[in-house]
Structures are given as C-alpha cells and as structure tokens.
Amino acid sequence: MSNSLVDKSLVHLSEAGLRLTKQRKAMLEVLAKAEKPLSAEEAHAELPSGTCDLVTVYRSLEQFDRVGVVQLGVRENGTKVYCLSHGHDHHHHLTCRICGRTERVDICMAEELEQVGRSYGFTELSHVMELFGTCPKC
Amino acid sequence: MSNSLVDKSLVHLSEAGLRLTKQRKAMLEVLAKAEKPLSAEEAHAELPSGTCDLVTVYRSLEQFDRVGVVQLGVRENGTKVYCLSHGHDHHHHLTCRICGRTERVDICMAEELEQVGRSYGFTELSHVMELFGTCPKC
DNA sequence: ATGAGTGCAAATAGTTTGCAAGCTG
DNA sequence: CAGCTTGCAAACTATTTGCACTCAT
C-alpha cells in the first residue's frame, strides 16, 4: 500500500496499451509523492538523477494525460502542470503567484461545464481551471 | 456607439494612469471586434499592417490585464489569450481543439473560488478557466 | 521635460520533432 | 521481433528583456 497510487496508475497505463518502463514508473512515483501539480521540468528535477531525459518526461506526461492517468492543469504563465488522477478526485488548485505555495480546491463545475459543451454538440470535453493569488506570507 | 467598448476601455486605461497611444487604440479596436479571445500574435496579425511591433502588443496586453481592461485566458496548449472586459461580463469559453471555433460560456464560479482563496488568506485572487472539446464538424 | 511607451535585436522558457538505437509485451 | 519508447540534438513557439529613441501628458 505504500505505493497503491503508483500501482493503480501502472495498471491503468497497461490497460490503455502503454508500456511500463522504469522511467515511467519513476515518474509516477514522483507524481505520487508531490503535493502539488508539477510541470514537466519540475517532475524531471525530482527524478533520481539520470533516470531519463527531459524529453521523455514531456512525452510520457502527454501520454499519461491522453489516457487519463494524470490531470492536466495550466499555470498563470501558461506552463502545463500534471498531477495523478488516481487517489485524488478531480480537483483544482489555488497557487501563490509569489512563492508557489499550492492548496487544493475541491470545488469544480465539471458537470455544468460539460453540459454546456454538449449543448453545443462538442465532444471529448475537458477543462482547465486554476486559481491564483498572493498568499498571507507574500 | 460604434465604438463605445473601445471608448470605455480608453477611459479605463487613462484612469489607471496608462497612456493613450495610437497603437493601444488600434489594439482595443481589434479586441472589440473579435468574437473570441485573441493571443498576442493573433491580435498583432489583425492590426492594420505596420501599426506596431509584436512586442508592443505583448507589453500592452500585459498592462491591459494588470489594470483590468482585458480578461486573461489560457488555451489548452498554454497560450495566453485576451478579450475586452468592458461590454462583456466576466465569462469563459468553450473552444474546439481542432478548428478553434469558440463559444461563450457564461457560467463561472468566481465567487466560490474567491471565497476559498480568501479562506486561505490569499489576496489579489484571479482565476483561469477554459473548456475544450471537439466541435460537431470536427 | 520627464517618464511611460515603442521598436529592433537578442535572449529565454517551455515544448515539440527527427532519427537511430533500445527495450517491452 | 514488431513497434512502442527513449536519448540526443535541433527546431520551434510564445514570451521576455535590454537599450536607445519617441511621444503623451
């Protein structure tokens, strides 16, 4: 159970037809212990040195997102960030612009949004929502 | 009336201490007639040729956002987009990943989000929310 | 006239692509 | 052993910065 999140994600990857490599496992471990969404560069920096190339992180995170193993977010400056889907319900974040402190926000209007999307005939709906502010210390 | 949106925005800029230049006026006109949020590059492309440098568009849009004349959004790929605040209530968009078709979405949870932010002691709250999907034609 | 704003060039940050070699199922 | 994956290098896109010059107030 130490790593049930990672295990669940690995199964998910496998079922989605993606291959299980040591690089990907390491990335999932990093994502599992992160308390906030990580960018590709940040995830790479957290990997045991020499685990894999930054490019591989970009490519894998893209695949992870495609099959739903991770949830994609965007920072105020446009940087893409990812966090594991398993073990976390769909959620969003409140991030301090200055220090990066991040808090989890559980409110989400996914259903309402998807309903609007469907009313226009759109499919494969997804959404991005992030809250930014200045935290008490900054 | 032809340009009340632009006029309101110009007044707003002026009151915020920003200067009124022909470049900025041209940008506001482009934003006023756009039916969807524009990136800096797109806004620049819509300007009468030779109006100003792309860099100026970036710098001005940043200022516009800072004083609230425009509303910032982010595309799924991280590109920042802007639309006029005046004349439009705060809102969001539903964008087709394939063709870029964009529909306005009026639902927003700004209040709930800001309340959560304040509960953590955060100030100067802002949020980004965008909905993506594949439209009927694509 | 004074400082905000602009243009041009150059630097960055984040991300993507091409291709040959490696490893998974 | 087929083809998904990776590494390395290089290209790209979006955006930012430095600096001298210009213009709005």
Side-chain angles (χ1 to χ4, degrees):
Chain A
M1 17 176 323
S2 59
N3 279 358
S4 63
L5 283 186
V6 173
D7 293 340
K8 270 189 200 168
S9 300
L10 286 169
V11 170
H12 188 150
L13 284 188
S14 179
E15 288 175 349
L18 296 181
R19 291 186 179 173
L20 308 183
T21 65
K22 64 178 188 305
Q23 292 93 330
R24 288 179 175 178
K25 187 169 181 196
M27 284 179 225
L28 292 173
E29 281 165 357
V30 162
L31 290 173
K33 81 178 151 207
E35 0 49 48
K36 59 173 195 168
L38 301 177
S39 67
E41 306 233 21
E42 289 161 353
H44 183 245
E46 293 298 322
L47 290 169
S49 100
T51 301
C52 73
D53 195 89
L54 173 58
V55 183
T56 299
V57 177
Y58 276 107
R59 286 195 272 225
S60 294
L61 288 176
E62 186 190 340
Q63 297 285 60
F64 292 179
D65 176 44
R66 187 172 61 73
V67 303
V69 166
V70 296
Q71 182 186 320
L72 172 66
V74 186
R75 297 233 174 97
E76 206 171 23
N77 69 355
T79 304
K80 292 179 195 171
V81 294
Y82 304 84
C83 58
L84 283 191
S85 300
H86 293 287
H88 301 296
D89 293 327
H90 176 85
H91 63 283
H92 297 282
H93 301 89
L94 163 62
T95 306
C96 174
R97 288 191 193 82
I98 316 291
C99 69
R101 169 182 163 193
T102 300
E103 301 291 343
R104 174 178 173 144
V105 173
D106 284 304
I107 53 177
C108 174
M109 43 190 352
E111 286 180 28
E112 297 92 316
L113 288 173
E114 306 216 335
Q115 191 170 345
V116 171
R118 281 192 299 270
S119 77
Y120 280 108
F122 279 56
T123 54
E124 304 183 68
L125 295 163
S126 69
H127 68 282
V128 150
M129 181 172 86
E130 299 295 328
L131 232 191
F132 303 96
T134 303
C135 83
K137 292 179 189 162
C138 297
Chain B
M1 339 7 354
S2 57
N3 280 0
S4 64
L5 283 184
V6 172
D7 293 341
K8 270 190 198 166
S9 301
L10 286 169
V11 170
H12 188 151
L13 285 186
S14 179
E15 287 174 350
L18 296 182
R19 294 187 177 172
L20 308 183
T21 66
K22 64 180 188 306
Q23 293 92 328
R24 287 179 175 179
K25 187 169 180 197
M27 283 178 227
L28 292 173
E29 281 165 358
V30 162
L31 290 172
K33 81 179 150 206
E35 1 49 50
K36 57 172 195 170
L38 300 177
S39 67
E41 306 233 24
E42 289 162 352
H44 183 245
E46 293 298 320
L47 289 169
S49 99
T51 300
C52 73
D53 195 88
L54 173 58
V55 183
T56 299
V57 176
Y58 275 106
R59 286 194 271 226
S60 294
L61 289 175
E62 186 190 339
Q63 296 286 60
F64 292 179
D65 176 42
R66 186 172 62 72
V67 302
V69 165
V70 296
Q71 181 186 322
L72 173 65
V74 186
R75 298 233 173 97
E76 205 171 25
N77 69 355
T79 304
K80 293 179 196 168
V81 294
Y82 305 83
C83 57
L84 283 191
S85 299
H86 292 287
H88 303 294
D89 293 327
H90 176 85
H91 63 282
H92 297 283
H93 301 90
L94 163 61
T95 305
C96 175
R97 287 192 192 83
I98 317 289
C99 68
R101 170 182 162 191
T102 301
E103 302 290 343
R104 174 176 174 145
V105 173
D106 283 304
I107 54 178
C108 174
M109 41 193 351
E111 285 181 27
E112 296 93 316
L113 288 173
E114 305 216 336
Q115 191 169 345
V116 170
R118 282 192 299 270
S119 77
Y120 279 108
F122 280 54
T123 54
E124 304 183 69
L125 295 163
S126 68
H127 68 282
V128 149
M129 182 172 86
E130 298 295 327
L131 184 55
F132 303 96
T134 302
C135 84
K137 291 181 190 161
C138 297

